[in-house]
Every structure is written in C-alpha cells, then in structure tokens.
Amino acid sequence: MQQSSAFVNWFRNSSPYIHAHRNRTFVIFFSGVAVTEPEFDKLIHDFALLKSLGVRLVLVHGIRPQVDEQLLQQGDTPKFHHHLRITDSATLQYVKQAAGLVRVEIEALLSMGVSGSPMAGAKIRVASGNFVTAKPLGVLDGIDYCHTGKVRRIDTEAINRQLEQNNVVLISPIGYSPSGEIFNLSAEEVATEVAIALQAEKLILLTEQTCSSPIDNSPIPQLTSDQAAALLQTSPALPDAVARSLYAAIQSCQQGVRRAHLINRHLDGALLLELFTRDGIGTLISSSEFETIRTATLDDIGGIMELIKPLEQQGILVKRSREKLEMEINDYVVIERDGLIIGCTAFHVMQGYQYAEIACLAVHPDYRNGARGNRLLEYLTSNAQNQAIKRLYVRSTQTMHWFVERGFNACEIQDLPEPIQSAYNYQRNSKIFYKDIH
C-alpha cells in the first residue's frame, strides 16, 4: 500500500510537467557509445514515453566509436585535432557506413511493439533525411580537415513538417552541400544548431559523465549560461565530453533555446527524473536564473492557492478566497522555480501611512531548508526601503520565533496603525510583531 501511495504521489506531482512539455520541441543528443550498450533499449523506451506524452521529438546521434572501430579493423589510426576527426576520403566511407548502420539500428528499436514490453502499442514513425546543409571546415592551425564540415543551414521547414505529422525526427551527424558533397559533422554541433533553428523548448545532452563541481566533485544542479561559461574558463580539468556539452548548452541558450540539460545517461531513468521531478537529476542550463523572486501576476493565483492551502487547513494561515487573491494580486511576491510557485508572501502598504504589513508568507515543504523565507523577507525589506516605508508589521499564530530571530519585536493591538487594527481577527488571537526599517 505504501508503494502504491508513493507512485500515486509521484504521478500527481509529475502532472504539471506533463502539461508543460506537451507539444513542445525537445532536441536530444546521445553519443555513439550509448548505441553500443545493452541498456540502450531502456533509453529508447524513455524516448517512446516522451513521444506518447505529446513531446515533439528530434533525436541526434553520434557515430564516433563506430567509425573508430572500422578504421582500426582496417589497420588505420583515427586522427583528431581539437577533438574533431580529420576525415580523409577513406575515413569518409567509414563515416557513411557507420551513420547508416546506427540510424537503421535506432529506427529498428523505435519500431518495436512487442506485447507486454514498454513499447507495446507505441507505433512510432521515424523520419530521417537531408535536413542539414554543411560546408567544409577547411584548414585550421595548418591542419586540413578534408571532409570534416560544419553546419551551414538547418531545414527547419522540413523538420517541422515531419513533427507536425507526429513523426520522430532522427538526424545523423552528416551534412550535405548544394554541390552534392558529404561532410562528417560533430553530433553535438548538429544537435545545437537544430535546437537553435527550431527554437526548441529544450536541448537535452545525454552525457557519459555527470557535470560535477571541480572543487568537491558534487553534481551541479543548475547554472546560468554565464556561470557555465565561467566554469569552462576556470576549470580546464573538466572531462572533454562534459566540456563539449557545456559549450553546446551555452550556445543554444544564448540563441533562444529556453533550457539545456546535461544528463548522465548511465543513471537508469535519468531522462524521466530530470524532466518530471521538481529538482531533476542532471544539470540545467538557462540564459536567466532558474529560480527567481518577482511580483505575482493573475496567472500565479492557481500556484499560490495550491501552495497555501495546506497551511490554511492547519490554521497557520488565514483562509483567502480566489476573489480576494485576485483583488490583492499586485501585493503578492512569489518565488518561481522553473514554472512552479514554491514560495509567496504579501506586502500590504497602508496608504497614507509609512507602514506596511507582511502576510501570507509560505514556502513549499520541499524547499524550506534553502533560506527562501529569508530571501522573501529581504526582498520585502528592500521594497520597503524603496518606498520610504518606516515600519513593517506582521501577525502570526505559529511562526513567532522565526520573525523574532530576524529582528522583529512584539507589540500590542493598540499599538497598531488604525487600518491594521480594524482588520485584526480576535478569534485567531494572532501575536503581533513589528520591525523598523532604517
């Protein structure tokens, strides 16, 4: 029974993300190494699940180990410069073979529909094609890259047409020139350019390692694109694959992709945990702060009501109707975390007085150890200073010590300004505190 309850709670908590992701375009990169491993079918099952939930899915795969294997079998040595393959005419043949083999393997896995398996009834149609126009990389540092190229243009119209027909789009790291030449491309670059061209909701990079802090090796949950760029500059010891994925994430976020995620693919179910849980399991990159404090809008009322309802039921907060919230919404401040309201408070300024009252301060139970209550209070204090407010008041029945610890002093009902005093609820018998603003 406990297991069933945990599943129900998880499923309910995932519903905001299911709604948010529906009809959004996700570009997902995974390496050629991933394709070679026995557990790859689980990743395919997760792709199928995303598709069933209405995600517009573009998959970009790598082929590096497959090409290396064919070169070594022929007694040739793979040649790289700055992590890019030097693709001579012989190597280009292996690139074409590897791209074809890997693409067919992925298509076969996406076509599975065995009864009783996670793919049962999926009926996924896969579209591949010449979506990427490329040009030669040329000569860099005196090195001729031969048939290694770079992305010149993405055929967004053709990709969108396939997505609108409910197909999964599968793209290999191969590009074509208008003159019919074929170029070997970096799969990370292809995924990045596709995500930018489509203005995708997310670029998801399935990495071979976790993106971790170089200081204590702890996983990094989130970064802005500026912070990620600083990490690249100051941490030369980052694993090459992680560094390349970070660079791809930065490029995409700086050019219109809302979110990029680095996810260690070796963690079973990591893709689902990252996309359908509050805190995820990978590293989220965004151009702006992932968690912000801002003035509330009417669109936030549902989130505020969901946040404060348990506290109202416990008697910690006074009950507020939706109509009252709508009337006072301009007084509210919220903490938004990736589209979810995880904290709120109200700041009622007494017109004609140099006083204001703090009310309805609440933080989601899962986030109460992150000093978010302090951040809300600091935000209100800053607002008070900007508006020349001299004193803050607060009424509380169960969190008195929290306010006292932050410099509030107790006072009596008769000490309150008339507007607050006339609204005092004697039935609740709240304690009253104030703090002078300097």
Side-chain angles (χ1 to χ4, degrees), residues 21-24 49-56:
H21 298 335
R22 186 175 292 119
N23 296 322
R24 305 295 185 183
L49 180 56
L50 290 181
K51 181 71 179 64
S52 72
L53 294 173
V55 174
R56 290 158 50 100

Side-chain angles (χ1 to χ4, degrees), residues 127-171:
S128 302
N130 56 340
F131 301 122
V132 182
T133 302
K135 61 183 178 181
L137 190 58
V139 179
L140 297 175
D141 300 328
I143 303 295
D144 186 353
Y145 280 89
C146 302
H147 298 282
T148 297
K150 61 187 300 183
V151 175
R152 181 177 176 183
R153 186 176 63 85
I154 303 296
D155 191 345
T156 54
E157 183 181 347
I159 295 174
N160 277 319
R161 194 157 52 239
Q162 295 298 331
L163 294 173
E164 285 161 10
Q165 291 174 10
N166 206 29
N167 297 333
V168 169
V169 174
L170 178 62
I171 301 179

